[in-house]
Amino acid sequence: MNDKNEENAHRTRWRELSQSLTDREILYYVSGSPDGVREQAIKTFMKDVFKYSFHGSVETHLKALESKDLVTKESPRRGTPLWHANHSEVMALIQKELEEMKIREDELRDLLAYLKEIYAD
């Protein structure tokens, strides 16, 4: 895959994740739980911290993240499943987005300087 296609694939992946506040917040929470996290803990977190109520299960959101290879499901012999972040994928996604944001910030600073120069009193 060439650089431009890789960049576009990253942007598309990030944009899709960013469009769903629920998916993004769940990913952040799961990523911050190195020993894994159960669905009930995710529901409690989302409700308590973000005052967000779910109409249904968080499993739909977890499955969406799993399909993007950002989380994995561990089914222990006893108890409910644990969800783990695919840390290498999550960190790569965030690192790439930080790089893109820095480039965008530089572009915006250049534009602002240009506009100040043109419209200066």
Side-chain angles (χ1 to χ4, degrees), residues 8 12 30 42 59 77 82 85 88 103 109:
N8 287 340
T12 299
V30 173
I42 296 168
E59 188 171 3
R77 288 184 179 186
L82 285 169
S88 61
I103 292 168
R109 286 183 192 280

Side-chain angles (χ1 to χ4, degrees), residues 13 23 26-28 30-31 61-73 83-87 89-90:
R13 193 172 181 202
D23 288 357
I26 287 172
L27 180 61
Y28 290 168
V30 173
S31 295
H61 301 284
L62 289 164
K63 294 267 185 208
L65 293 168
E66 184 178 37
S67 72
K68 296 173 185 165
D69 198 31
L70 295 170
V71 298
T72 57
K73 182 179 181 178
W83 289 89
H84 299 273
N86 182 343
H87 292 104
E89 284 292 317
V90 173

Side-chain angles (χ1 to χ4, degrees), residues 17-35:
L17 180 60
S18 294
Q19 287 176 351
S20 173
L21 175 64
T22 303
D23 288 357
R24 190 179 70 220
E25 295 304 327
I26 287 172
L27 180 61
Y28 290 168
Y29 183 67
V30 173
S31 295
S33 305
D35 295 329

Side-chain angles (χ1 to χ4, degrees), residues 93-107:
L93 182 67
I94 292 171
Q95 182 63 44
K96 184 67 177 166
E97 185 58 21
L98 281 171
E99 292 166 11
E100 294 294 327
M101 288 174 73
K102 287 177 187 175
I103 292 168
R104 185 71 179 136
E105 180 182 12
D106 290 342
E107 291 171 351

